Amino acid sequence: MRLLALTSGYPLLGAQAQSVWEPLSLPQSEQLRWQPLPDPPRTAGVQWKRLPLATEESSSIVWQPLEEDKDTLIATPQKRPQSIAEAERLLDSIEPSPDDYYPLLRLGPAVPTANQVDELQGAQLSFFQMAPMAGGGDAGGTGNQNYVGRIDLGVNDKLQVSGFYSEADDPLFSAVKINGQLANPSNFWQSYGGGAQVELVSARTWKLAVGGSLEGWNVGSGGALGAGQVSQFGSPNIFNDSGQRVYTSNVVGSLAFPLSWQASKTVELTFTPGASFLPATQGAGQGGAGQFYGTNITVAAGAAWKPSSQVTLFGSGLLPLGPGSNSFNSNLEFQKVPILTGGLNYALNPRIGLEAALTNGFGGTPATAVLALPSANQLMYTARMVWNPQAADTPQLNFTNRSRSLTLGGVSVNTALVPPASVINVWANADDKGNLFGQVGWSASNDFQFILFDAGAFQQVSPITPLVSTYANNGGFNQRFGGKAVFLQQLRGAPLTASGAITLGRNYDASSFQGYLFAETIGTWEANEHLAFNLNPKLAWSGVDTPFGIGVSANLQLGGSFQLIPEVNAVATDVGSSNGTLSLRWLPRPTTAVDIYVSNAAGVYDMGQLLKNDSARVGAKFTIQL
């Protein structure tokens, strides 16, 4: 990290201050702190350049990088920062350097490394989902999804503490034989707990740590979809022949001893022996105890290759040695299988990372990460988002009023831009047939927006199709969350602005309770200061169908306060579902919009953009940034 110090000892403000700003060189893990310092010693390895004292005639300073060390700043006579806030804005305008990016804490959920969040990095939050590549299996729907959230906090340079939560509530992937009959029992896993990792030894190229976790693990089988959710069908459990639901609250834990070696500048190798302590039976006192996973001693190894500061390729394997097991098949035969993971982590900037991987592991917490998908050892995908709140960000764009208005999005076709870091974006929508939707987004970075709350209900959608009856039925409450990431920026010299967005969620109506994944890519080209075009491929992946379409729209500036926005969604999988929208937008200011529109889309909300309504809807959408 870069840090500037006022080496003269004079106050920062004041017309007569004779001050020289000079650099301090800090380790990668250090974070920004401002303080007045005396003249520093000429420490070996740090390049210090003596500068003449500023005079009233040459009291301004320009900061620029040295060729020898891009993290070291020198001052030349131009303009001196007049406050700490000005100096912080100066650093925020500097592109992140390779040393601002952090190493991976884990090579997939099952294999921790010896890397840790330290006190100055502060925290790392990650959110991810795992699901089978083969879709919903015998259970149908979008598959057996496991949703996981985790936070790692640096207490000091040696101690990291963590908290985590995961939940999976889908029926078993494969039908299993119970009493000679095939059945598809409901399955519920809910894990929560805390952990810690302590660095034991740190040498120049290798580190050794010890970590552990203590967790609660609620396991339900049969009779219900999840905690408090009544099953649509009677299903037996996998532990005994009582025909009733078995539900047990377990205390579980894990140990790990990761050893990481920096084999070269770009390659890190990790070896991690450990243990996972899980119950060997379930169902005692509920119809009879049946076999479950039990304790496993494990050995694991992996590698991370970082060809650039933003890209890391990784792979790992975990081998359970017993005495327990970590998988069972459709015959309810328990066995030991290796857990293999391979993936790619792409950092938009040091603050935001996106990760995609293939694995056969299904557990999301330290104790359950040893487990494969219940009832099948299947290849799965995992998508993970990593957020380092205190890390360096991409410099903020110099938005024009026109460009800033495009961060407000469209109606049924999205735009690629996101609001600046720390800005909250809120919109609400209603139409004459009763649709009611709203969204709250928050920009965690200049290149990433969290979609914190995305919810509403459809009304009077026709014609009635399987997609409509499952996801857009009358009054069914839909709730979703997700994120939007920007990969290219026209204002930074790219030919266009390009981004991608994903939301996850379900229809909570009792007749459905089904979920889907909505994914879209967006390209926005600002042709000139009055005209912009958007190209918006999108799909809704569900267990019923996977509609795919391409949205196309234009944004035409009409004077200073109005925009005309025509939109078309061409649905490739069902041409009859293609739809169009025409909106007149009023901008009282660049961060506030009121849209009045007419549309034959089922709604402006995710799946609704890929469904056509028999009759036109007239609606309004209000958007504001705070």
Side-chain angles (χ1 to χ4, degrees), residues 221-375:
S221 178
L225 292 172
Q229 292 292 335
V230 178
S231 175
Q232 299 175 37
F233 50 88
S235 69
N237 69 74
I238 65 171
F239 301 115
N240 55 51
D241 58 2
S242 68
Q244 303 296 317
R245 187 184 190 206
V246 168
Y247 185 88
T248 309
S249 295
N250 305 280
V251 177
V252 299
S254 68
L255 282 175
F257 299 87
L259 172 66
S260 294
W261 172 46
Q262 194 70 45
S264 72
K265 187 176 181 180
T266 60
V267 175
E268 183 180 69
L269 305 178
T270 294
F271 174 70
T272 306
S276 178
F277 305 99
L278 302 177
T281 62
Q282 298 281 271
Q286 302 178 65
Q291 184 179 357
F292 211 32
Y293 295 110
T295 293
N296 272 291
I297 305 300
T298 61
V299 291
W305 174 48
K306 196 169 187 176
S308 73
S309 57
Q310 291 181 269
V311 176
T312 304
L313 296 167
F314 65 92
S316 67
L318 178 143
L319 183 65
L321 303 178
S325 55
N326 69 331
S327 178
F328 65 87
N329 59 25
S330 59
N331 293 318
L332 294 182
E333 296 169 339
F334 282 78
Q335 54 203 339
K336 293 185 282 291
V337 300
I339 300 298
L340 305 176
T341 303
L344 180 148
N345 182 287
Y346 175 75
L348 294 174
N349 51 50
R351 188 173 295 183
I352 300 293
L354 304 175
E355 188 174 288
L358 297 177
T359 183
N360 65 325
F362 188 68
T365 65
T368 61
V370 67
L371 302 178
L373 179 67
S375 77

Side-chain angles (χ1 to χ4, degrees), residues 127-130 142-143 145-149 165-170 189 191 362 364 481 504-506 515-517:
F127 311 90
F128 58 103
Q129 177 201 28
M130 291 166 286
T142 54
Q145 297 143 329
N146 191 9
Y147 299 99
V148 187
Y165 178 87
S166 76
E167 184 169 316
D169 60 4
D170 296 296
W189 286 5
S191 302
F362 188 68
F481 63 93
L504 305 166
R506 64 177 45 178
Y516 67 93
L517 179 149

